[in-house]
Each structure stands twice: as structure tokens, then as C-alpha cells.
Amino acid sequence: MEKLLCPSLLNLSMDYLKDEIMRLDVSGADILHIDVMDGHYVPNFGMSFQDIETIRKNTSLKLDVHMMMYNPGRYIERYAEFGADIIYIHPDSETIPTETLCRIRELGKAPGIVINPGISLDSIQELLSLVDYVLVMTVNPGFAGQKLIPATLDKITRIRKLLNEKGYSEVLIEADG
């Protein structure tokens, strides 16, 4: 099973963003994880379009954008323009998540879904055929520094089993938290 290193950029110093990205670019990381928050879906704010543009200009690594916001479909074109390679949505944050996931793929980007600790696997099964990635939150979304919720580790195992059973063994699982 492929294992990738995907450091989160949430706590980088914005004063030294370019330097921080250049260090990560040669660190052995595979993907850089960018949290975007709207202050509504989660009560916090994350990186901006301009931050993502700066990151993209200073790395050739894949960028995954974790959209912790309501109605992320409104912004996927812009995130794609600014350099996102993988775009994650929370299915419960979008009115019609299937349309948003298909639009991400139409833009030439890899679609992904996020599963919060309290979301059941039954609620996301129909979306698995539309994604390249599943991001499992091992903490509640929105704040850095939380303690791991142990039950989420079993959820990762169950998701892998479900993906394999449905014939989606190529879908990658990422853990966040």
C-alpha cells in the first residue's frame, strides 16, 4: 500500500510563507495539504486564494485543498486556477455533492471527499465512484492541536475494506488531524 507524506500548511508562518514552502519542497513531502475555512462550516478561517497562489509559485509538489466551507462548489474553479491538484469537499456542506465532485474532475483536478468523525460510512457510499481520495478526519474539523479520536482509526480500516469491496482499490485514503 502506497504511503504518502502530506504535511499541513495551516500553522506555517505567513510572514515567511515562500521560505517555508521552499523548505517543504525539498523535505521529502509528497503533497502539501491546504486548509480553507469560511468561518461558518467551521468557526475558523484558513488560507486564502493569494496564499495558495504563493504556494503554487514556490513548489512543484501536488497541492490538496481541504474546503471546510458551505457550498464549496462556488469556488472550485478559482482553487483550480490558483493551483490546487486535489480538491476535497465535505459532502454535508454541499447541496448537490455529486455535481461538485464531477465539476472538479471536469476541471482536470482530482476530487476527494472528507469524512468527519461523526459521519457514517453509509452516508458516503454513493459518492465513492466519483472520487480519487477520501480524507478521514481524526479530529473535529476547524482547529489545530486537538487530540486524536481513537475510533477514527477503525474507520480508516473500514473505509479501505469498503473501497476494495466496491472495486475502488485505487482510491487513496488520507488522514487529517
Side-chain angles (χ1 to χ4, degrees):
M1 183 179 337
E2 183 177 17
K3 293 187 180 178
L4 303 173
L5 180 60
C6 310
S8 173
L9 306 184
L10 183 61
N11 291 321
L12 289 182
S13 169
M14 289 298 123
D15 292 336
Y16 304 101
L17 182 58
K18 180 180 175 181
D19 295 333
E20 299 267 6
I21 296 305
M22 291 171 69
R23 275 196 289 279
L24 283 169
D25 197 51
V26 297
S27 71
D30 298 293
I31 299 171
L32 299 180
H33 181 79
I34 300 168
D35 290 305
V36 176
M37 299 176 255
D38 67 358
H40 299 286
Y41 184 76
V42 295
N44 207 347
F45 292 94
M47 298 186 127
S48 68
F49 291 119
Q50 292 77 19
D51 295 332
I52 295 168
E53 183 177 39
T54 298
I55 293 164
R56 174 78 292 151
K57 286 179 181 175
N58 291 286
T59 187
S60 59
L61 295 174
K62 283 187 177 181
L63 303 181
D64 76 14
V65 173
H66 175 190
M67 299 180 77
M68 289 180 267
M69 62 175 54
Y70 284 113
N71 302 308
R74 297 175 297 169
Y75 300 105
I76 57 172
E77 283 87 1
R78 294 219 37 218
Y79 286 107
E81 279 176 32
F82 280 94
D85 297 296
I86 304 160
I87 301 176
Y88 288 102
I89 66 164
H90 288 256
D92 61 322
S93 72
E94 186 63 75
T95 306
I96 307 173
T98 53
E99 283 184 12
T100 302
L101 293 167
C102 288
R103 182 68 184 131
I104 292 168
R105 190 167 309 281
E106 288 168 7
L107 292 167
K109 306 303 177 179
I113 55 172
V114 184
I115 303 173
N116 288 342
I119 299 295
S120 77
L121 298 186
D122 290 338
S123 69
I124 54 95
Q125 284 193 48
E126 287 75 23
L127 300 175
L128 295 177
S129 66
L130 302 174
V131 301
D132 295 337
Y133 294 85
V134 175
L135 178 63
V136 179
M137 294 300 299
T138 63
V139 297
N140 290 308
F143 294 97
Q146 298 177 63
K147 291 188 184 228
L148 172 88
I149 300 170
T152 59
L153 298 178
D154 177 58
K155 188 179 270 190
I156 293 169
T157 303
R158 290 184 294 130
I159 290 169
R160 174 49 56 207
K161 182 179 177 192
L162 178 63
L163 288 166
N164 291 345
E165 287 172 357
K166 291 194 168 282
Y168 308 129
S169 58
E170 73 284 353
V171 172
L172 296 178
I173 299 171
E174 186 175 336
D176 186 343

